[in-house]
Amino acid sequence: MTEPKPPGKLFLVGLGPGGGEHMTGRAREAITAADTLIGHATYLRLVADLVGDQQVVKSGMTEEVERARLAVELAQAGRTVALISSGDSGVYGMAGLTFEVLFQSGWTPETGFAVEVVPGATALTSCAALVGAPLSHDFCAISLSDLLTPWPVIARRLNAAAAADFVCALYNPKSGRRTRQLQEAQRLFLCHRRPETPVALVHAAFRARQRVELTTLAALAGCEIGMLTTVLIGNSQTQVRHGLLITPRGYTNKYDLAGGTTVAGERAGTSLSSGLDAWLAAIRASTEGVEQLAARYQLPARYIAELLDAPDADVRH
């Protein structure tokens, strides 16, 4: 016979950018269902209209561990707790830390109280919505905060993202004490990107102090930027059109957008003529060696060697 679950429950709630109109219905339900609300004072102010007679526990920056521990302790005691983050709780929010605390306490999904992660729109997508469609192709997010992550790790990630031509969202770009990290990020990106690469700076998206600025990679470090700013750095294809930041998805590689037909040599619903199968055929027909091919395509020599040695079935499946 299955043991009944303990009575407590923990909601890990993402508010989205902060306004009620951008909060999910489930986030509202979780907040109103909880008998205890825990969060940074700023985030709790954003949901003040939803607070009834619940216990409200406010705390400041750098007190995340205390918030997570308290939320777990209260849920273990049978309370229904909503631990609140802005954006999405699982994206630079409280969810990851809280699960670490849960696992350390011996909690498991099978035997412990219920835990529900309630998703919300993260700063990445909220800020993108205000400037057009900069994330329409591959992108990544990197936090510049070195409070918990060593700088060499951050620098390697920045360099890899810049070299790989990702659109990149920089979280936590600057604070009162951390002012040089953004300059170093700019320096790394300029090793791989044009100085005129479009950049969007979005401060306090969808909140009262919202500010949006379009600039360039070359001018980035001289702009007004703070902890509430998210920096969106375009890739080699990103364009500014009529004040909007747009990253093409690649449809013009296959389609004539004006006529709606495919371009010569391409077919709808199939890989590009320069896709994986065509590329495999080209490198297998090449007279270049593994090291030369690796250098040409900026890929590991081991990967190229394995492709050349692998049967088609292994490569395709």
Side-chain angles (χ1 to χ4, degrees), residues 22-303:
H22 297 112
M23 194 184 308
T24 67
R26 185 56 179 160
R28 289 176 172 274
E29 291 172 356
I31 291 169
T32 55
D35 51 53
T36 304
L37 306 178
I38 301 175
H40 187 281
T42 298
Y43 308 151
L44 290 169
R45 282 198 297 270
L46 295 173
V47 296
D49 61 320
L50 299 178
V51 178
D53 58 357
Q54 299 110 311
Q55 177 188 11
V56 177
V57 181
K58 302 177 182 179
S59 61
M61 296 294 289
T62 74
E63 297 178 20
E64 294 87 356
V65 174
E66 290 82 356
R67 289 202 291 273
R69 286 170 57 87
L70 178 60
V72 170
E73 289 171 4
L74 292 176
Q76 284 174 330
R79 305 289 291 273
T80 300
V81 181
L83 179 56
I84 294 173
S85 300
S86 66
D88 185 288
S89 183
V91 181
Y92 302 120
M94 291 294 297
L97 170 60
T98 304
F99 277 114
E100 289 185 69
V101 172
L102 282 163
F103 294 142
Q104 192 174 62
S105 73
W107 174 92
T108 69
E110 295 76 23
T111 63
F113 55 83
V115 177
E116 179 181 343
V117 180
V118 181
T122 183
L124 181 81
T125 51
S126 300
C127 294
L130 291 171
V131 298
L135 308 180
S136 291
H137 214 320
D138 299 335
F139 61 88
C140 69
I142 300 174
S143 171
L144 296 191
S145 174
D146 55 6
L147 297 177
L148 300 173
T149 305
W151 178 254
V153 174
I154 298 172
R156 287 195 297 272
R157 291 171 180 172
L158 289 166
N159 186 67
D165 204 30
F166 283 109
V167 175
C168 192
L170 303 182
Y171 281 63
N172 307 312
K174 187 183 286 190
S175 70
R177 289 180 293 180
R178 294 186 303 100
T179 59
R180 185 170 173 178
Q181 284 81 352
L182 183 63
Q183 293 177 333
E184 299 309 316
Q186 177 193 39
R187 196 190 311 273
L188 283 163
F189 267 81
L190 283 170
C191 292
H192 304 280
R193 307 271 173 101
R194 297 173 292 110
E196 60 272 22
T197 298
V199 174
L201 309 175
V202 183
H203 178 87
F206 295 101
R207 299 184 191 174
R209 299 176 63 186
Q210 174 182 298
R211 186 180 71 251
V212 178
E213 178 183 355
L214 297 185
T215 185
T216 65
L217 184 58
L220 173 59
C223 295
E224 183 181 352
I225 295 171
M227 273 295 290
L228 296 180
T229 305
T230 300
V231 179
L232 300 174
I233 302 175
N235 69 9
S236 61
Q237 303 302 310
T238 304
Q239 312 161 12
V240 178
R241 304 289 292 274
H242 303 287
L244 297 172
L245 206 64
I246 310 297
T247 301
R249 178 68 177 88
Y251 283 97
T252 54
N253 292 330
K254 182 174 287 190
Y255 300 101
D256 174 357
L257 299 186
T261 57
T262 56
V263 300
E266 303 294 344
R267 291 188 300 159
T270 64
S271 298
L272 284 173
S273 57
S274 56
L276 175 59
D277 288 345
W279 178 67
L280 286 172
I283 65 170
R284 286 171 174 171
S286 174
T287 59
E288 293 181 302
V290 169
E291 296 295 338
Q292 290 173 300
L293 289 168
R296 174 189 294 277
Y297 295 108
Q298 298 181 335
L299 291 167
R302 174 180 170 179
Y303 174 67

